[in-house]
Amino acid sequence: MAAEVIPPALAGPTEHGTSTKEATTTTLGLLKSEWELLTLSTAVKLLLFPTYHSTDFEVHRNWLAITRSLPMRDWYFEATSQWTLDYPPFFAYFSWILAQPAALVDPLIVSLHEGLEYSAWSCKAYMRATVIATELVLAAALLAHARIGTQRTMKIGFTDSTTAGPSTSYILAASLLMHPGLIIIDHIHFQYNGFLFGVLAWSLWAAREDHPLLCAFLFSSLLNLKHIYVYVAPPFLVFLLRSYVVPVGTRASDVGRCVERLITVGVVTLIPFVLSLAPLALDGLRHEAGPLGVLAQMVKRLFPFSRGLIHAYWAPNAWALWTFADRVLVKLLPRVPALRMFVPAGMLARFDASAGSGFASASRGLVENIAFGIMPDISPSMCFALTLTCMCVYMVKLWQTPTYRSFLAAVSLCGFASFLFGWHVHEKAIMLPLIPYTLLAAVDYAHLRTFVLLSAAGIVSLFPLLFTPQEAPIKMAYSIVWALLVLGPLQKRVFRPVQSNLGLVVHRLESLYLWGFVALQAYVSIVHPMIFAQAGHSVVLPVQPVLASPANATHASAAAAHLASDVIPLPPATAIADSAAVQIDADPPLPVATPDSNADGADEAVAVDTAEFDVAPPTSDSISRRLLSTPTAPDTPSTGSIQDQPEATATTSKVQELTPSESSMEFLPLMMVSVYCSLGVIWAWMRASAVYLLSEA
């Protein structure tokens, strides 16, 4: 890299923690430029208070009400709302802390019954303010990353000097604090990922600064805040073993010391689990289920495995392409019989059998319960095997080269593996590989190019989360400004080596792919709505559900409302019948890698069969959910049962199938975004894996 000099006005921290002009720190140890960034970040997020918020807003509000209104032993049993508590105890304690001042702001915020679906301005302002306040954990961690510590240059692989503007580390830290993904997910859609990623960033910082016990404690605490981070636990385990317990160069005579270190790091890792579970177990002594029953109920809430392969809106991963391929083949085979000679006999037999039994619509089942028409079905065990295999490859490399940079790459790649091959992945889980990989973006041009591709695909894949017209210019304009201020300066600071002819071809194809996002958004945001608004389609689905008992009706209605939430619709011109029927499957599949399976709170342990249902009254959420979940076998009888009431069963529900033109009207843009982004995410993963396995030292 070229030599760089930090200008005094905009410079970030230097090797000793201060800029060349600001030798002294300001209030709370922050430099003037750091205060300016924090102020700008806060101002932008305050301006987003009036924007759309998803059902996750009600999820977290209800958790505040649960933790404040009920004794601890009842938290994981409470089910007044369908948005039940399904995060680990540390996050429940976190919600309890936030609930205390909430009662002073507006008592309805923490009202268990009267506060249901409450979203007055006082409630919205308080909840959004808590997101901004708790995100200071991330801001502080990023500041620590930006400031050069001992031997940091050698560990990261790039210097912080610059010829113009802030330092490279300062740009990367600012890019994460102002990241469009966090803006969309946390400050509009509504969640607390900034706070959680802050804890992750602190654990990464502790690893960088050679504080292994602090690293173990922080990451263990993170697992007790949100168990989804178990997917990046293997790199922490291997890194701590190879950098602290059994470091490189250990001899046979050091076995005693290694055992002592193993016990030490094991105890430190277990401390957060004890602090998390012990209060719940002790209070469980006063519950009729007892301490073990209370803990078992918590585990049941944390790990509901009764979900389908794909979330209602396809996350841009391998299964999006798999499902897309199935849909294309099902549409083409009846129209182009010549294609049959290129399709394996087993897949043809599957298709013919499905068509002969009244197969209605390939690769679309009721709310992520996918039934494929041609492509082989994907089982939970297959997802687990693929994810674990990828992780094992990275762990072998990390064991061989237990450097900090190798560790950082392994954390990101494990996030990649769980996102691409996990079971029931949410689109928001793209942040799991993206956050740690950002810290590697300036290492060299290969890392930077991978970062650009991942950022573009990851950010655009989150756009459908914000489907209302008033948020459309916000998400696009903000993302473009972020890219200009972050990616532009980084490309000028990272040396681009002379590439081979093949490398130039690949580079041009990647650039063409990046420009393709302009065409994609132009069609999705402008062309498609104009075309189908003129068409003026309207879809009415008469549904006549028959329920075996009143209890079933209650559960079906709650499940339908539950499953109709947290989706990514586009403004439709449709109408839906005011009735619902849902079939619940009581037999959960095997535990597998499932990124963000509980990350929304809105995804309770509910699995459904292929009977169609609709939600009344019609909303944009329910419309999109229905269009994404056209039944594969509308006449299939319901034989499942509600998990907590095995006697209650729902019978057959018949619905009218959407015509291809009607369903494609709303589904096409979502499918296009998911499939196009999945190409970029998969290619970024392949690039990142190749760089790590072939050249990472």
Side-chain angles (χ1 to χ4, degrees):
M1 295 184 61
E4 303 168 302
V5 178
I6 304 175
L10 298 176
T14 66
E15 187 173 12
H16 303 290
T18 60
S19 68
T20 54
K21 184 175 181 179
E22 297 176 285
T24 59
T25 57
T26 59
T27 308
L28 300 178
L30 298 183
L31 304 175
K32 180 182 178 181
S33 57
E34 294 163 352
W35 273 114
E36 290 172 349
L37 175 62
L38 185 61
T39 302
L40 175 62
S41 172
T42 304
V44 169
K45 293 160 187 175
L46 287 173
L47 291 174
L48 297 175
F49 271 27
T51 55
Y52 153 84
H53 62 80
S54 72
T55 52
D56 283 334
F57 180 89
E58 171 61 16
V59 169
H60 287 282
R61 187 217 59 80
N62 189 56
W63 292 0
L64 265 61
I66 289 174
T67 54
R68 191 179 189 279
S69 304
L70 299 176
M72 193 181 306
R73 58 186 176 272
D74 293 327
W75 287 355
Y76 290 97
F77 288 91
E78 206 286 327
T80 299
S81 168
Q82 64 263 41
W83 317 127
T84 53
L85 180 60
D86 57 7
Y87 273 23
F90 268 3
F91 199 94
Y93 306 151
F94 170 76
S95 297
W96 180 87
I97 293 172
L98 297 182
Q100 305 313 307
L104 302 177
V105 174
D106 187 341
L108 284 179
I109 297 176
V110 291
S111 175
L112 195 58
H113 300 284
E114 291 80 4
L116 291 176
E117 305 299 334
Y118 185 63
S119 59
W121 174 248
S122 57
C123 178
K124 181 181 292 187
Y126 176 78
M127 296 292 288
R128 291 207 183 276
T130 61
V131 175
I132 295 176
T134 56
E135 199 178 52
L136 292 176
V137 175
L138 175 62
L142 294 175
L143 176 60
H145 276 274
R147 293 184 173 179
I148 297 180
T150 305
Q151 298 179 335
R152 180 185 178 283
T153 298
M154 180 184 69
K155 291 186 175 184
I156 294 296
F158 65 89
T159 60
D160 271 325
S161 57
T162 180
T163 56
S167 68
T168 302
S169 291
Y170 194 73
I171 292 176
L172 293 177
S175 73
L176 284 177
L177 184 61
M178 304 286 290
H179 199 283
L182 290 178
I183 293 292
I184 291 173
I185 297 172
D186 281 9
H187 300 281
I188 302 179
H189 190 265
F190 196 88
Q191 280 188 18
Y192 289 93
N193 288 286
F195 164 67
L196 297 168
F197 278 120
V199 180
L200 176 63
W202 273 118
S203 64
L204 296 175
W205 173 86
R208 188 193 82 185
E209 296 300 316
D210 297 324
H211 301 307
L213 297 182
L214 179 60
C215 175
F217 181 84
L218 289 172
F219 186 73
S220 179
S221 299
L222 180 62
L223 292 178
N224 283 274
L225 280 165
K226 189 172 182 179
H227 50 302
I228 193 65
Y229 291 96
V230 71
Y231 306 119
V232 296
F236 281 86
L237 173 62
V238 173
F239 181 73
L240 289 172
L241 286 176
R242 284 296 277 164
S243 65
Y244 177 68
V245 177
V246 189
V248 177
T250 299
R251 296 171 295 184
S253 58
D254 298 327
V255 173
R257 178 168 293 185
C258 292
V259 173
E260 179 183 345
R261 289 174 176 171
L262 179 62
I263 294 174
T264 302
V265 74
V267 170
V268 170
T269 302
L270 288 176
I271 287 175
F273 283 92
V274 173
L275 295 176
S276 173
L277 301 177
L280 193 63
L282 290 175
D283 199 49
L285 292 171
R286 294 183 287 176
H287 194 280
E288 59 182 7
L292 294 181
V294 171
L295 294 178
Q297 175 65 15
M298 179 205 67
V299 173
K300 181 180 175 182
R301 285 280 180 86
L302 263 58
F303 299 100
F305 297 115
S306 301
R307 293 193 177 98
L309 172 66
I310 296 180
H311 190 247
Y313 163 54
W314 303 353
N317 61 7
W319 308 133
L321 293 183
W322 189 269
T323 309
F324 175 71
D326 183 85
R327 177 165 300 190
V328 170
L329 289 173
V330 166
K331 297 294 184 182
L332 288 180
L333 278 181
R335 294 170 174 80
V336 187
L339 290 177
R340 297 178 67 92
M341 67 179 64
F342 301 102
V343 179
M347 296 171 64
L348 281 178
R350 176 186 178 87
F351 172 71
D352 293 337
S354 300
S357 62
F359 186 83
S361 179
S363 65
R364 279 190 285 179
L366 175 64
V367 187
E368 80 262 348
N369 199 17
I370 299 300
F372 293 106
I374 295 181
M375 304 294 286
D377 287 330
I378 304 299
S379 67
S381 58
M382 292 174 62
C383 293
F384 178 77
L386 284 171
T387 304
L388 184 61
T389 299
C390 292
M391 289 184 177
C392 287
V393 173
Y394 304 138
M395 293 309 98
V396 171
K397 177 68 174 181
L398 180 57
W399 183 270
Q400 295 171 346
T401 57
T403 64
Y404 174 70
R405 198 171 74 183
S406 177
F407 164 64
L408 205 57
V411 171
S412 180
L413 288 168
C414 283
F416 260 119
S418 61
F419 179 80
L420 290 175
F421 305 113
W423 179 268
H424 193 82
V425 179
H426 285 237
E427 65 284 347
K428 294 179 282 294
I430 189 61
M431 300 302 294
L432 194 56
L434 207 160
I435 293 292
Y437 205 85
T438 301
L439 302 175
L440 293 169
V443 169
D444 55 34
Y445 193 77
H447 284 89
L448 176 62
R449 189 67 171 175
T450 304
F451 170 69
V452 171
L453 291 166
L454 176 60
S455 297
I459 292 171
V460 174
S461 73
L462 296 173
F463 279 4
L465 284 173
L466 308 180
F467 57 89
T468 53
Q470 54 267 36
E471 274 77 41
I474 296 176
K475 64 187 180 186
M476 294 183 193
Y478 184 88
S479 299
I480 292 172
V481 172
W482 178 90
L484 293 175
L485 295 178
V486 173
L487 303 182
L490 285 178
Q491 298 223 30
K492 295 178 181 179
R493 294 160 189 251
V494 178
F495 173 72
R496 179 181 174 183
V498 177
Q499 294 177 304
S500 64
N501 291 334
L502 178 60
L504 289 174
V505 171
V506 171
H507 189 276
R508 289 174 182 174
L509 289 175
E510 291 173 346
S511 299
L512 183 63
Y513 172 80
L514 292 172
W515 280 109
F517 282 108
V518 178
L520 175 68
Q521 287 304 308
Y523 176 81
V524 169
S525 303
I526 301 174
V527 178
H528 186 86
M530 290 177 60
I531 293 175
F532 287 101
Q534 294 174 359
H537 287 293
S538 180
V539 182
V540 179
L541 299 183
V543 184
Q544 297 178 346
V546 180
L547 298 176
S549 69
N552 272 347
T554 302
H555 280 283
S557 177
H562 170 93
L563 292 169
S565 66
D566 191 32
V567 294
I568 311 88
L570 294 174
T574 56
I576 300 181
D578 295 343
S579 56
V582 64
Q583 173 188 354
I584 308 300
D585 185 359
D587 297 324
L590 297 174
V592 292
T594 58
D596 213 18
S597 61
N598 273 0
D600 300 317
D603 293 314
E604 181 60 22
V606 178
V608 291
D609 209 334
T610 53
E612 177 83 31
F613 73 92
D614 298 301
V615 180
T619 64
S620 56
D621 278 6
S622 61
I623 291 168
S624 176
R625 177 73 75 173
R626 173 182 55 76
L627 290 169
L628 288 171
S629 307
T630 307
T632 59
D635 292 332
T636 301
S638 297
T639 57
S641 60
I642 306 296
Q643 188 171 7
D644 294 331
Q645 296 191 11
E647 298 82 4
T649 58
T651 59
T652 303
S653 170
K654 296 184 179 180
V655 291
Q656 175 182 331
E657 175 68 20
L658 288 171
T659 66
S661 61
E662 290 167 338
S663 61
S664 64
M665 179 179 70
E666 300 306 333
F667 183 78
L668 179 61
L670 296 176
M671 182 177 66
M672 290 177 62
V673 172
S674 177
V675 170
Y676 194 80
C677 290
S678 66
L679 295 174
V681 174
I682 292 173
W683 179 245
W685 165 69
M686 294 171 63
R687 284 187 58 112
S689 298
V691 170
Y692 178 57
L693 297 175
L694 299 179
S695 62
E696 191 70 39

